[in-house]
Amino acid sequence: MRLNPTMLRIYIENCGESFDCATTQNVLRGMECLGRKGIPVGCRGGGCGVCKVRVIRGHYRTEKMSRACVSAEQQQQGYALACRLYADEGDLHLQVVGQMQRALQPSDAAPAGPLEN
């Protein structure tokens, strides 16, 4: 049972890290709280595609995104922009794709396992 039901756990499958994210906070903002250097941030408005991810498992909602960045077909396959992605209920498992991959690859300097905010 969660102590705070408005905080959900987001798991990044690429690197094995995870973080808490409020249901009112977009996933990109939660990623920034990981403190990783080099997380690319673009327009924060769903128009540039820098923060593209694919949801592997979990319930979520998205706000309006540019179709140039995420097509309707891709969206049906779970792709979204982290700046427009919100976890709805339960944990969310995602894979980072595109430009953000380099910043979130496992490294010797990164802690192994979940990070707490």
Side-chain angles (χ1 to χ4, degrees):
M1 181 174 205
R2 285 189 199 280
L3 295 177
N4 185 347
T6 63
M7 294 297 282
L8 304 176
R9 197 79 179 159
I10 311 296
Y11 294 89
I12 304 172
E13 300 292 331
N14 305 60
C15 61
E17 291 186 70
S18 63
F19 57 91
D20 288 329
C21 191
T23 57
T24 57
Q25 179 183 49
N26 68 55
V27 170
L28 179 61
R29 182 66 193 119
M31 284 179 174
E32 290 176 307
C33 291
L34 281 174
R36 282 288 196 97
K37 291 184 190 309
I39 291 179
V41 176
C43 69
R44 297 181 191 266
C48 71
V50 168
C51 60
K52 194 171 186 176
V53 298
R54 183 174 186 204
V55 177
I56 306 298
R57 187 169 58 247
H59 296 280
Y60 63 95
R61 68 186 188 286
T62 58
E63 292 180 344
K64 187 176 180 181
M65 299 175 284
S66 169
R67 285 291 176 221
C69 301
V70 179
S71 69
E73 182 180 336
Q74 287 177 325
Q75 192 170 356
Q76 289 177 341
Q77 295 171 355
Y79 288 92
L81 301 179
C83 68
R84 310 308 271 173
L85 176 65
Y86 297 83
D88 259 349
E89 58 182 64
D91 296 334
L92 196 63
H93 295 256
L94 56 88
Q95 179 180 32
V96 174
V97 297
Q99 295 181 30
M100 243 194 306
Q101 277 182 309
R102 185 178 299 143
L104 292 171
Q105 289 300 315
S107 70
D108 294 335
L115 296 178
E116 298 298 327
N117 292 353

